[in-house]
Amino acid sequence: MDRTEPSPWKKTILAAMTSYIDAGSIVAGAAGLSLWQAYLGMDGYQMGALAALSSNAGSAAVGALIGGRICDKYGRKFVYTYDLLVYIIGMLLIVFGVNYPMLLIGYIIVGLGVGADIVASWTLIAEEAPAENRAKHCGSAQFAWALGPAVVLLISAWINQFGIIGNRIVFAHLIIVAAWVWYQRLKMPESKDWRAAKEAEEKLIAEGKVEKMSYSTILSGINLKTVLFLCGVYSVWNLCASTWGFFMPYIYEHVGNLSNSMSQLMSVGSFVISFIGTYFIFMRLGDKVSRRLLYLIIGGIYVIGWGVWVLPPEMLSMWMLVMFTVFAGINNGSGQQAFYQLWCSELFPTKYRATAQGLTFFITRIAAAVWGFLVPIIMSTLGFRYAAMLMVAFAFISWLVGTIGAPNTSGKTLKQIEIERYGHEVK
């Protein structure tokens, strides 16, 4: 091995930082939304377009779909060498935005870059991680995903008092982080698994013995079952999680009757609990105990947590809100998203691993975009309790699907898992 090649943990950390800038960009937008609305005079439709096309939804979905295919065709390094440059261009439009088109285009470009990078990064982490510590390495991305919002919210709480310039600075700090990560990644080699798979594929193509991958391959047979399983785990769960991420300060205030400062504190506290939970639960236990049991517990407390909001408002007490904050935080760090990232990388072969992950991520973010549009309508017409009932149902379905279908992959190499599932190595 080249002595200058980064260690597995350095590769993991550089790949995981995508989650920091992804979640950070989402929360930075949410934290400064009212400032931009006042600055640009945005109406409801313009704000809705920002939410639907941002890195939390539509543009990230498209970026993941495109990026996943490029990632399998041209390599993981090709994607993570250039996608952060796309992200930085979008961020610059936001930081220096003086009108709505600049802001909207910036949000779209940021989402495209984030979506592509997430697929490449999560795939690379799984392929470079030691089999016996794959959950620990994959969990680092989830740790960064919780750390980003916590840092952004803390910075925003202090600097947003300066108005729109404060929110510009929050976005600018993400440019600095992205630029540093991009520079460090230039030194990273291509995934060994991808190189080996690509060489084998090209040899077989030259001999006329193999067909090139198409989406029909992913949407048939065992692959279709895997896609449905992962969407049942992650896409359904994300309907709750996206609501939690975007609307919780509002819900804490208007349903939980908390002050604005207390609602912000609860939101920050939940993200802090997320990265603590990621480290001490998923990263420390994911390779040592039954993953089915771990999923059963972490998914179960999420159902209980959302059940709090089904109660009549007059029955809600502070300890119930704290319980929801803790349970949601633990689940966010060690629950469905962490398991999805791990299982999606394990259950598909190297040949189309990133493409499959891009497809499932696309489905998840598109569903989140549609649901994000519907939630305010449901809350305003039927009341928040009805929306909460749907959240409980979504959390329960996700919990049930993951608990029943949890695969036994602990400690196995990706090649071993591939042979067990397909009966042979996929070429």
Side-chain angles (χ1 to χ4, degrees):
M1 177 184 293
D2 185 346
R3 70 181 62 182
T4 63
E5 180 171 325
S7 68
W9 267 114
K10 184 172 182 179
K11 295 177 185 177
T12 293
I13 292 170
L14 289 176
M17 285 303 294
T18 297
S19 296
Y20 179 98
I21 62 175
D22 170 28
S25 67
I26 294 171
V27 175
L33 188 60
S34 60
L35 296 174
W36 285 100
Q37 181 186 24
Y39 175 67
L40 298 177
M42 292 187 292
D43 58 29
Y45 291 102
Q46 289 175 318
M47 292 175 65
L50 280 181
L53 298 176
S54 71
S55 55
N56 191 40
S59 60
V62 175
L65 193 67
I66 297 171
R69 189 68 195 99
I70 294 175
C71 200
D72 282 332
K73 189 174 180 63
Y74 299 106
R76 288 49 168 142
K77 183 176 177 63
F78 179 88
V79 174
Y80 65 65
T81 296
Y82 296 106
D83 56 12
L84 285 185
L85 296 178
V86 174
Y87 175 90
I88 290 171
I89 291 171
M91 277 294 186
L92 287 171
L93 283 172
I94 296 173
V95 170
F96 296 103
V98 293
N99 54 50
Y100 179 75
M102 286 183 71
L103 188 66
L104 179 62
I105 293 171
Y107 267 59
I108 293 172
I109 293 175
V110 165
L112 291 172
V114 160
D117 200 280
I118 282 178
V119 174
S121 299
W122 287 2
T123 300
L124 182 72
I125 291 172
E127 291 177 347
E128 294 293 328
E132 66 276 10
N133 286 317
R134 192 177 299 118
K136 180 180 289 187
H137 280 254
C138 288
S140 64
Q142 196 63 18
F143 182 93
W145 195 92
L147 181 63
V151 171
V152 166
L153 285 171
L154 287 173
I155 295 175
S156 298
W158 168 68
I159 208 166
N160 275 2
Q161 63 181 307
F162 299 108
I164 194 68
I165 186 65
N167 193 243
R168 293 182 194 273
I169 293 173
V170 173
F171 277 109
H173 114 273
L174 294 170
I175 294 177
I176 295 172
V177 173
W180 178 83
V181 172
W182 171 79
Y183 176 73
Q184 294 297 322
R185 285 182 179 180
L186 293 178
K187 309 170 188 177
M188 289 176 62
E190 180 58 86
S191 162
K192 298 182 185 69
D193 284 12
W194 182 84
R195 282 204 310 264
K198 194 64 176 178
E199 289 170 3
E201 181 188 37
E202 289 175 351
K203 182 179 178 180
L204 291 172
I205 290 175
E207 297 172 355
K209 296 180 179 179
V210 67
E211 294 182 2
K212 293 185 178 181
M213 194 284 301
S214 67
Y215 280 104
S216 62
T217 305
I218 299 175
L219 296 174
S220 61
I222 189 173
N223 289 326
L224 177 59
K225 294 179 182 178
T226 305
V227 168
L228 293 175
F229 166 68
L230 292 169
C231 288
V233 167
Y234 184 51
S235 303
V236 175
W237 168 84
N238 193 60
L239 299 178
C240 301
S242 60
T243 304
W244 174 78
F246 194 81
F247 291 104
M248 280 321 298
Y250 175 88
I251 295 171
Y252 278 132
E253 288 184 50
H254 293 84
V255 182
N257 294 316
L258 299 182
S259 65
N260 178 266
S261 59
M262 181 58 71
S263 70
Q264 296 295 334
L265 181 63
M266 295 283 268
S267 298
V268 173
S270 198
F271 281 114
V272 171
I273 291 168
S274 291
F275 64 75
I276 292 175
T278 300
Y279 179 76
F280 286 102
I281 299 175
F282 192 79
M283 294 178 70
R284 297 291 291 271
L285 301 177
D287 295 302
K288 297 178 180 178
V289 305
S290 166
R291 290 176 181 170
R292 187 190 301 272
L293 176 62
L294 197 60
Y295 187 96
L296 172 73
I297 296 171
I298 303 301
I301 65 173
Y302 199 55
V303 179
I304 296 171
W306 273 107
V308 165
W309 297 103
V310 177
L311 298 172
E314 61 271 14
M315 292 182 62
L316 289 175
S317 60
M318 189 62 189
W319 74 265
M320 292 181 180
L321 302 184
V322 170
M323 182 185 74
F324 169 80
T325 300
V326 173
F327 283 5
I330 291 173
N331 178 272
N332 185 60
S334 306
Q336 282 88 331
Q337 181 162 297
F339 277 98
Y340 160 78
Q341 179 195 343
L342 177 65
W343 287 338
C344 201
S345 296
E346 289 182 331
L347 300 182
F348 292 104
T350 304
K351 180 177 179 179
Y352 45 82
R353 178 173 293 128
T355 302
Q357 185 152 250
L359 175 63
T360 54
F361 194 83
F362 172 83
I363 294 170
T364 299
R365 289 288 171 107
I366 289 297
V370 174
W371 177 245
F373 176 77
L374 294 175
V375 167
I377 297 174
I378 295 172
M379 288 194 295
S380 62
T381 57
L382 300 176
F384 177 72
R385 287 182 67 195
Y386 287 91
M389 291 176 190
L390 289 173
M391 303 296 179
V392 172
F394 295 148
F396 177 79
I397 292 170
S398 175
W399 169 77
L400 188 65
V401 171
T403 301
I404 293 174
N408 179 21
T409 52
S410 299
K412 299 175 183 177
T413 67
L414 295 178
K415 184 173 290 187
Q416 285 177 311
I417 297 169
E418 184 177 317
I419 293 173
E420 284 182 8
R421 289 176 58 77
Y422 296 90
H424 57 86
E425 189 175 350
V426 178
K427 297 181 179 179

